[in-house]
């Protein structure tokens, strides 16, 4: 049987698993082909032919619409449900009108509540930072709530008039400045959604012996949604991980009751014992802090919109979204989709110059998720070697010292040669 399955807390991976993949729109075809070629060679070399991935194409986006008249076929969702793990190239998302984001739809339909975005620097990659080596952060972005839940009513419609009437007459809301021309959106943030996201972040930090988990929020303004996220996150850490964590809440309580020296002593003791420090920071301050002192952050837990901004800023700090991987995961069911984090780049589609590294590094995350760490490590080692020599696609090579720009297919071949 070639189907990955979930047993208890672990997934079971056969030696020849079927992995469904969405090729993607725009540059998707070019980067997907390149990545599959690299990954197949890495798996072959790591396991001497004893393991192999069987790629199964499923349709979504423009290719699905052109062939089947629908942007996201039921068969595609069924395949991801059945085979548990999948790969997705970039998909078209119209802005302002038309179909809803396919990326969001996949996350919602499969309840992939964690958007996992590890960010690190590769030696040789030129960045805006003086010390990019200090950036080593893993972001846990909540994937199913916040404004991405898509609860909105357009200005001037009968629906928004009903909502405005309810808010005004039933809830006493009188702060909407221009009701006649206002669209309304609802931002749901739940205890359950917060807890499963923060739980996953803390478990990751503990498993990888990382020093801290930072709750990033805007709770000073949105007190019951983002403020709730902060409150519920702290409560979960103190309730479920009392032996493994030390919270900023606890630090402040000791400081109030026994003084600063006692609080510092308790914190130092927790650090010596290897406990994970749970802290929080306002989102705008966090964006500044990551530029000034990125070494203070290791694991981030945050809401959907904050996570979108944070992920892209941190990616830019280490060289750009072209080397930023991402995954969408439900740790309870085991379902996961590993994806390119960039867009379809229609301006360069078909030119064989696209950078495949975002999707490639995402598939490395998939290999690690499957327990095929040896194959993933071969790819990482190859990329480190190439980047240190200035070998990359043009988007990176043009900024590198002695940069050597390669086409998509040429770069894929270089990665394979250096496995």
């Amino acid at each position: 049987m070639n189907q990955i399955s979930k047993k208890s807390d672990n997934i079971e991976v056969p030696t020849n698993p079927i992995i469904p993949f969405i090729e993607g729109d725009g540059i998707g075809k070019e980067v997907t082909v390149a990545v599959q070629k690299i990954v197949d060679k890495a798996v072959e070399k790591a396991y001497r032919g004893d393991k192999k991935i069987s790629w199964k194409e499923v349709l979504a986006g423009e290719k699905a619409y052109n062939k089947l008249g629908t942007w996201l076929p039921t068969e595609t969702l069924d395949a991801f449900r059945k085979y548990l793990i999948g790969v997705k190239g970039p998909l078209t998302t119209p802005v302002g009108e038309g179909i809803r984001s396919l990326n969001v739809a996949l996350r919602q339909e499969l309840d992939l509540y964690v958007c996992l975005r590890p960010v690190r620097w590769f030696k040789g990659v030129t960045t805006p930072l003086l010390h990019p080596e200090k950036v080593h952060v893993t972001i846990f972005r909540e994937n199913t709530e916040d404004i991405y839940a898509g609860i909105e009513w357009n200005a001037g419609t009968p629906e928004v008039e009903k909502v405005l009437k309810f808010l005004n007459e039933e809830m006493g809301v009188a702060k909407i400045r221009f009701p006649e021309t206002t669209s309304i959106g609802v931002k749901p943030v739940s205890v359950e959604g917060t807890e499963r996201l923060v739980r996953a972040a803390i478990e990751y930090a503990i498993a990888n012996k990382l020093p801290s988990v930072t709750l990033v929020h805007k709770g000073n303004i949105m007190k019951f949604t983002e403020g709730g996220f902060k409150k519920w996150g702290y409560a979960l850490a103190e309730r479920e991980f009392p032996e493994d964590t030390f919270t900023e809440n606890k630090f402040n309580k000791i400081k109030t009751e026994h003084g600063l020296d006692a609080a510092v002593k308790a914190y130092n003791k927790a650090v010596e014992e290897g406990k994970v420090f749970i802290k929080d920071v306002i989102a705008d301050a966090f964006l500044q802090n990551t530029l000034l002192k990125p070494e203070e952050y290791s694991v981030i837990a945050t809401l959907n919109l904050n996570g979108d901004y944070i992920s892209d800023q941190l990616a830019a700090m280490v060289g750009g979204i072209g080397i930023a991987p991402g995954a969408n995961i439900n740790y309870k069911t085991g379902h996961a989709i590993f994806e390119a984090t960039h867009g379809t780049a229609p301006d360069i589609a078909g030119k064989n110059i696209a950078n495949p590294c975002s999707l490639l590094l995402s598939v490395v995350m998939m290999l690690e998720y499957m327990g095929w760490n040896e194959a993933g490590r071969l790819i990482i080692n190859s990329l480190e070697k190439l980047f240190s020599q200035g070998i990359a696609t043009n988007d990176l090579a043009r900024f590198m010292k002695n940069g050597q720009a390669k086409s998509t297919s040429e770069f894929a071949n270089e990665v394979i040669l250096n496995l």
Side-chain angles (χ1 to χ4, degrees):
M1 183 171 177
N2 296 334
Q3 187 174 324
I4 298 171
S5 59
K6 180 78 160 59
K7 297 294 175 71
S8 186
D9 292 332
N10 301 309
I11 60 170
E12 293 189 358
V13 182
T15 56
N16 186 202
I18 296 172
I19 302 292
F21 73 94
I22 297 170
E23 182 180 76
D25 299 324
I27 60 172
K29 182 175 182 178
E30 297 155 74
V31 299
T32 298
V33 168
V35 166
Q36 288 174 331
K37 183 178 178 182
I38 295 167
V39 171
D40 286 344
K41 288 293 184 181
V43 169
E44 179 184 352
K45 182 166 185 176
Y47 306 111
R48 303 179 185 277
D50 291 337
K51 295 181 179 181
K52 183 180 179 181
I53 292 173
S54 293
W55 301 102
K56 174 183 174 65
E57 184 175 10
V58 293
L59 302 180
E62 292 175 348
K63 193 171 185 179
Y65 188 79
N66 292 336
K67 285 190 173 184
L68 304 173
T70 178
W71 294 92
L72 184 58
T74 301
E75 294 80 4
T76 295
L77 289 169
D78 290 343
F80 283 130
R81 289 190 181 100
K82 177 179 179 180
Y83 295 108
L84 218 66
I85 292 175
V87 172
K88 183 185 73 62
L91 292 174
T92 299
T93 301
V95 176
E97 59 182 356
I99 62 165
R100 186 179 172 197
S101 167
L102 292 172
N103 300 319
V104 173
L106 283 165
R107 296 165 188 169
Q108 293 280 350
E109 288 292 330
L110 298 170
D111 197 25
L112 305 176
Y113 60 87
V114 169
C115 181
L116 185 64
R117 296 283 297 271
V119 181
R120 58 154 291 187
W121 176 66
F122 287 88
K123 185 178 180 181
V125 175
T126 302
T127 85
L129 292 191
L130 184 61
H131 292 291
E133 72 280 359
K134 293 182 178 181
V135 181
H136 209 296
V137 181
T138 302
I139 303 155
F140 281 73
R141 169 190 173 192
E142 203 289 318
N143 235 356
T144 63
E145 299 190 314
D146 201 358
I147 62 172
Y148 285 76
I151 307 170
E152 291 186 298
W153 298 275
N154 196 16
T157 62
E159 292 79 11
V160 83
E161 288 179 11
K162 290 180 181 179
V163 175
L164 288 166
K165 183 178 180 181
F166 171 77
L167 291 173
N168 181 257
E169 297 180 4
E170 301 292 330
M171 303 300 293
V173 174
K175 296 180 180 179
I176 299 174
R177 192 173 298 275
F178 304 110
E180 294 81 8
T181 57
T182 291
S183 294
I184 297 288
V186 176
K187 175 188 176 81
V189 178
S190 69
V191 175
E192 294 88 345
T194 296
E195 287 186 344
R196 64 182 185 173
L197 184 279
V198 175
R199 182 182 297 114
I202 293 174
E203 288 175 344
Y204 179 90
I206 293 170
N208 291 278
K209 302 185 185 305
L210 296 171
S212 67
V213 172
T214 305
L215 308 174
V216 181
H217 61 91
K218 194 65 179 168
N220 58 327
I221 302 299
M222 291 167 276
K223 299 186 183 298
F224 303 126
T225 51
E226 306 234 356
F229 177 83
K230 169 191 169 182
K231 180 178 72 174
W232 301 326
Y234 273 131
L236 175 116
E238 292 169 355
R239 183 178 70 250
E240 294 190 10
F241 302 94
E243 302 301 319
D244 298 297
T245 67
F246 182 81
T247 69
E248 190 173 1
N249 267 0
K250 189 171 183 179
F251 177 92
N252 290 332
K253 184 177 180 181
I254 296 171
K255 179 181 175 182
T256 299
E257 295 177 355
H258 305 287
L260 178 60
D261 289 344
V264 171
K265 185 177 180 180
Y267 170 79
N268 289 336
K269 184 174 184 292
V271 171
E272 290 173 6
E273 294 172 349
K275 292 186 177 183
V276 178
F277 185 46
I278 312 297
K279 55 186 176 177
D280 78 275
V281 64
I282 302 298
D284 46 343
F286 174 80
L287 293 173
Q288 175 181 234
N289 292 347
T290 52
L291 291 169
L292 298 175
K293 44 186 178 181
E295 66 276 11
E296 291 193 1
Y297 301 105
S298 53
V299 178
I300 304 303
T302 192
L303 288 164
N304 215 331
L305 183 61
N306 294 333
D308 202 352
Y309 300 148
I310 288 167
S311 298
D312 281 10
Q313 175 180 298
L314 286 167
M317 289 164 58
V318 297
I321 204 164
I323 53 171
N328 302 286
I329 302 172
N330 183 317
Y331 286 100
K332 186 174 182 180
T333 66
H335 287 94
I337 296 179
F338 299 83
E339 65 180 357
T341 60
H342 52 70
T344 57
D347 57 319
I348 62 169
K351 296 182 179 179
N352 193 28
I353 60 174
N355 184 352
C357 287
S358 174
L359 186 59
L360 178 59
L361 289 167
S362 297
V363 178
V364 168
M365 292 174 66
M366 182 191 79
L367 294 171
E368 294 169 348
Y369 188 72
M370 293 163 53
W372 293 15
N373 296 328
E374 298 86 353
R377 175 43 57 185
L378 287 177
I379 295 170
I380 293 295
N381 288 344
S382 179
L383 289 177
E384 289 177 337
K385 182 177 180 181
L386 291 173
F387 289 150
S388 67
Q389 295 173 352
I391 299 172
T393 48
N394 185 62
D395 59 314
L396 298 178
R398 58 184 171 162
F399 299 117
M400 292 174 165
K401 184 178 180 181
N402 302 318
Q404 305 170 54
K406 302 290 182 179
S407 69
T408 308
S409 55
E410 288 172 341
F411 183 72
N413 290 335
E414 291 283 353
V415 176
I416 290 168
L417 286 173
N418 284 277
L419 287 174

